[in-house]
Amino acid sequence: MLTQDDLQLLYRYSYALTCNEADAYDLLQSGVEKYLANSNDTEHAVPLLKRIIKNKHIDNYRHDKIIGFDNYDDTIFPLDYNAKDLEDLIIDEDMVEKILSSLNQNEREIIFYWAYEGYTAQQISESLDIPRGTVLSKLHRIKIRLSQQFNLDNNTTLGAKQ
Amino acid sequence: MTQGRLRNVISQKIHDVSLNQAQLDRLINLQATKPKYKSNKILYFFASFIAIAFTSIIIHQSVQPTISIEQAIGNEVANNHIKLKPLEVTSTQLNIVRSYFKELDFLPITSKNINFDTQKLLGGRYCSIQGITAAQLRLKNDKTGNIQSFYQTSYDPVIFKGIPNISAGEQPITVHSKGVSVDIWVEKGLLFAVTKD
């Protein structure tokens, strides 16, 4: 049985993927329906539902062709890069929706784990089953792109360790 | 304009997004009303098994060389003849042997292709040819001592299509199987087969 906290977490995960509250609810509801119909695994309900929701979101994309994806197959990153670099970017709070919208689905998923769940790069790589280097590379590229696109202030030097 | 670290601002933004009570109630209710999950593993297993078996049969049939109905009858008759299973009725009188076969839908008869002057009737037993119940009579040539198996069954024009009809002036067809020669023909609405050692 999914608790209210589980459902809120999954709703926020869905929002991170869709960047739209109505779409997030539809995604969550269809995910819960599919989970109830096809699984009796209550111990791992949340991670299982995350996977169902993500796959459903990808199916929706393939059907509607409305969201951009890229592959996680990307391991080029500075050897001395640290995920904390991204954390030091300073943004205006009213820009957050624009920033999230500017990211693609894979980037928002990584950002969800990194910012909201507070995961380390290692934990993100384990959750998404991708190499840690790919996670770091993604975070690095997100920082570069957001810095350029939104003229963000940062109090750290790009690529410096914290 | 409030500023903050990217991580904190995004975390707060996502945290601010939440299901309202009505949405929560619907999702909770969904769990209470949905039918319980039932494993389909057994169903999938049997479906896979049937599919594999069906495919195997199709493949087997497609690679199996097809043989003529005459050869199929010849093979069956030769196999039975070689085994010479015990007779169920023994008599040299056709009437007595004929009276034993009460389960047939025809009356065992003689044939003009069998010379009963030289062949002595020993008896008979039930058997089948291509799945159709048949009478197997056993004959013996007193001079040579040779044993013959003499089969007859109802003529099915679909199953036995192409077998020569000696009533129409055609000659019996001879096939060979396991060293046994078998004559096959149709006569008086019956299918006949006899071995010739």
Side-chain angles (χ1 to χ4, degrees), chain B residues 40-55:
Chain B
N40 287 327
K41 284 180 181 173
I42 293 175
L43 183 65
Y44 291 152
F45 174 80
F46 280 110
S48 303
F49 178 79
I50 290 168
I52 290 168
F54 185 73
T55 306

Side-chain angles (χ1 to χ4, degrees), chain B residues 135-160:
Chain B
Q136 176 188 351
L137 307 184
R138 191 164 297 161
L139 310 174
K140 183 178 181 181
N141 187 315
D142 277 339
K143 288 183 182 175
T144 63
N146 286 342
I147 300 290
Q148 282 185 299
S149 292
F150 177 42
Y151 291 78
Q152 45 191 291
T153 188
S154 299
Y155 173 67
D156 185 318
V158 176
I159 296 176
F160 302 125

Side-chain angles (χ1 to χ4, degrees), chain A residues 2-3 5-36 38-39 44-62 67 69 72 105-106 108-109 112-113 117 127-128, chain B residues 19 27 30:
Chain A
L2 295 160
T3 65
D5 287 345
D6 292 337
L7 292 168
Q8 292 289 16
L9 173 66
L10 292 166
Y11 178 60
R12 287 163 186 151
Y13 175 72
S14 301
Y15 174 78
L17 297 181
T18 61
C19 223
N20 179 290
E21 293 191 36
D23 290 345
Y25 181 73
D26 289 344
L27 195 57
L28 174 60
Q29 180 169 323
S30 61
V32 170
E33 286 174 349
K34 186 169 184 179
Y35 163 75
L36 292 173
N38 297 297
S39 177
H44 306 96
V46 171
L48 192 57
L49 258 162
K50 278 183 179 174
R51 188 171 292 274
I52 292 172
I53 287 169
K54 183 179 176 181
N55 290 339
K56 177 69 178 166
H57 181 55
I58 292 171
D59 287 346
N60 290 347
Y61 158 72
R62 286 175 179 155
I67 304 168
F69 281 87
Y72 281 126
Q105 182 262 343
N106 285 341
R108 282 200 301 272
E109 187 177 25
F112 171 81
Y113 282 114
E117 302 252 45
S127 292
L128 297 178
Chain B
L19 294 163
L27 292 170
L30 197 62

Side-chain angles (χ1 to χ4, degrees), chain B residues 67-145:
Chain B
I67 60 173
S68 66
I69 183 63
E70 297 89 344
Q71 190 61 54
I73 294 170
N75 293 345
E76 196 171 6
V77 167
N79 277 334
N80 289 336
H81 174 68
I82 291 167
K83 290 174 185 170
L84 280 183
K85 289 183 179 176
L87 297 172
E88 294 163 2
V89 56
T90 54
S91 174
T92 57
Q93 302 297 312
L94 181 61
N95 285 343
I96 295 173
V97 174
R98 179 189 281 175
S99 64
Y100 168 75
F101 292 106
K102 292 185 170 62
E103 304 300 322
L104 299 175
D105 58 357
F106 64 93
L107 284 175
I109 57 173
T110 58
S111 166
K112 65 182 181 183
N113 203 38
I114 302 292
N115 186 352
F116 278 92
D117 292 337
T118 58
Q119 303 296 105
K120 188 175 80 176
L121 182 62
L122 298 179
R125 58 176 286 123
Y126 282 105
C127 65
S128 68
I129 295 178
Q130 298 297 293
I132 300 175
T133 305
Q136 176 188 351
L137 307 184
R138 191 164 297 161
L139 310 174
K140 183 178 181 181
N141 187 315
D142 277 339
K143 288 183 182 175
T144 63

